Amino acid sequence: MTEELLEYEGLEKIKIDFQYLVTLFKEMLISIGEEDLAAGLSFDGGGVPEKIDVSNEKLTQALGICFELLNLAEENAATQYRRKSETKFGVESIRGSWGETLHKWKNDGVDQNEIAEKLREVKVVPVLTAHPTEAKRLTVLDIHRELYLLLVKKENPNWSTSEKYGLKQEITSLMERWWRTGEIYLQKPRLEDERNNLMHYFENVFPEAVRLTDKRLSDAWARLEFSPELLQWPEHFPLIQFGSWVGGDRDGHPYVTAEFTASTLRLHRNAALKMLRKQLFELAGRLSFSSYLVSIPDEFLNEIERSAKLFGSEGQKALDRNPSEPLRQFLNLLLLRLDHTIEGNYSLGEESYFRSAHVLLSELRKLRKLLIGLNAIRIAKQWLFPLERMVMSFGFHLSKLDIRQNSAYHEKAISQILAASGAEDSDYAGWSEEKRLDFINRELKSNRPFLVVGTSCGTEADNVLGYLMEVKAYVDEFGSEGIGSVIVSMTRSLSDLLLVFLLLREVGLQDAHLPVVPLLETIDDLVAGPEILSAYLQHPVIVRQREARENFTQEVMLGYSDSNKDGGIMTSRWNIYKAEENLSKVGDELGVKLCFFHGRGGTISRGGGKIHRFLDSMPAGSMSGHIKMTVQGETIANQFANRLTATYNLEMFVAGTARQAMTTSNETKDERLYETMDLLVNLARHTYRKLLDHPNFIDFYTGATPIDVLEQSKIGSRPVHRTGQRSLDDLRSIPWVFSWNQSRFNLTGWFGMGTALGEFKSQHPDDFKRLAILSKDWPFLKYSLIQIESNLLNSDRKIMNEFADLVEDQRTRDELMDLILKDYDSCLTKVEELMGDSVASRRISKLENNKLRNDALQVLHEIQIEYLKKWRELREKDQEQSDQYLMELLLLVNVLSGGLKSTG
């Protein structure tokens, strides 16, 4: 069997499984009296079904469920494909996997000791956020998970006829529950709802995904016959930790209070401790070594005795529970210490509780040392290893909470603080950069705060100091492990970063060494970033931090969303690529390791797409081995809802990071290539800005997309606009992308490139030919073009025109549609030219995927456009009737998101 044949089998499996699920869904509908609705559901590519005698509401809901069934069928088929591929073609056949990575290194002649050393330097941190792109209700997500597990269960070829029938009944019953539940939020979700959703992943998904990802690495290591001694204990493996923004991200999110931050930090801690207690208890159940059969060193026995005496009667009970079983006694006493930690009972001194996760880890390593001494290495690897890894990954904090706020908000806060302190000149926002730096540098020489504790200064200052005081309270009691980074959105100058240290000083956090991180979001900020970073790393405050910490790493966050909105997709990607290179150069020159934090969204426009492609397309030499990356909105469920998919995506992330960390930068820069890309990008940005800077663009945008519906949506807890104003600058990047996707323009993922490539080819034909060659060999260009093409294939010219017809001013509509469609046509043609082969021969899976969805999507868009017209006509005249249309439009937004597998 060839890989092409296996891929074809996978596509056929999707169709077969999907038709099976749709058939069961129709049977369920018929059984509850919905025969007409069942008859109208056609997903066989035979065209749009004729008008059926059912309400649009029911048809929309039914098609939405069918789309989700298709998504589940695709996910399961992908898992089965990977299994078969590994079986038939070896572990190295899975693109981006540990098998492929280790196989490549071995073939390249990389020494196994160098590989082992590199693995120990890798640290990856997926950071979950709650941006408003998850349109599905949490209850429905649970139903999706249940149905996926039943679909996996169906794979067993050994079921009897009665067992198959029982499975079919389970699936049908679950579908009826789903049908009667409804898909969308009828009320806007609370922050608590978003936090609870993330807690599910931290507690129930990631611990197992980490374990299985480790197993994937160790299995591939063994299959490729590397030395087992180099990869056997937890510290030999890449470090996987997790982060969260829910409860800490307050950039334009007024509902994240200081109290919510405090409760989130404690919720994380309590969950982590309970999770560890459960695993520690289970480990105690496994290690039933008898002192009559195993000789335990006196030193270990004496330690058990000393610890038991410290706890008095509680300690004696821990011993008496398992007489003659010293390993269980040791673990019972660790459980006792953990209970004291959970209860906050510190009365017996530091030996009676765990000051930090590191203390627990050192105790577990004592146990490992004992097991190795007893030649029970297999037992240590099987049962102790997972607990040690859990402590390393989740600590006592579960997930590191990042604190994010906008630089402009900090400016308002310090102005209010200065005014309250009696300063003569408190207009900080109006100061020059030179004046700001003089002021900050002078103030940083002192530990004196500006205000007496409890002084109220104004909304912004009270908010900033309020949540920083809660961070201070947490750090004082539990240490700083649960705090991630203090991120400054819209970092535009050195003072934006240094100002944070004054705010930290104000609450007594000046010595906590919390990482203060720039977020470079716009094109201009990405260009200015290296200069800002250089000055920052050489500032006395950071020099002291560098000297105080042996493994100092500076985090730099890169924004994919605002840079895309600012300049278009290729402008954004190329400027981020160059920023990574230039920032890395600054770090190398100053001897500072950088950790890039990639603020990716779910869609390609906002940095999304396959993780291994994303990592491979980074500039060589820019990956230190440390990386953070946001996982946003619906992407969380898409990547991590189910165990095997979660493991696959985590493996792609960790293996891809290690692979990229092994690459080194080229000694000589290809100046001609950079000139070519700069020229191409400038052409693309010119066309992109021509659209956005058109005097009537906002009128076109608000007419030709359902942005006004998204403004009313119940998807996320945060507002669509940062300040409540309707303007392009104020609009968040997520609804910006979401609205263009809903109207099938998808122009945030391609617009500008068609005209640019056409002009570039006519002006520089030889360089165009070189780009065609580079599109095969240079990952950055190759994957950028693939992603642009994917967005083009997801667009629909017919539906674009139908949405454009909603724009009232004909001249504006004609002008801008002419600009958009010319670029669209040129982009399809020119990308195909660069890639060499036709879309039909290269993108079989993508085209088959679209074919299964297109007819139903056409039906939904017709309803959406009809209702959008009626809602816009009625919203100022008849509130009650317009609200009914709005509810249906919100359902359509959700259903179309499932059909398109994309929001914002």
Coordinates of all heavy atoms in Angstrom, one line a residue, residues 57 670 782:
E57 N -35.6 27.7 11.4 CA -34.9 27.5 12.7 C -34.5 26.0 12.8 O -33.4 25.7 13.2 CB -35.8 27.9 13.8 CG -36.0 29.4 14.0 CD -37.0 30.0 13.0 OE1 -37.6 29.2 12.2 OE2 -37.2 31.2 13.0
D670 N 20.8 36.2 2.8 CA 20.5 36.3 1.4 C 19.8 37.7 1.2 O 18.6 37.8 1.3 CB 19.6 35.1 1.0 CG 19.3 35.1 -0.5 OD1 19.5 36.2 -1.2 OD2 18.9 34.1 -1.0
K782 N 6.6 28.6 1.6 CA 5.8 27.4 1.2 C 4.5 27.4 2.1 O 3.4 27.3 1.5 CB 6.6 26.1 1.4 CG 5.8 24.8 1.1 CD 6.6 23.6 1.4 CE 5.9 22.3 1.1 NZ 6.7 21.1 1.3

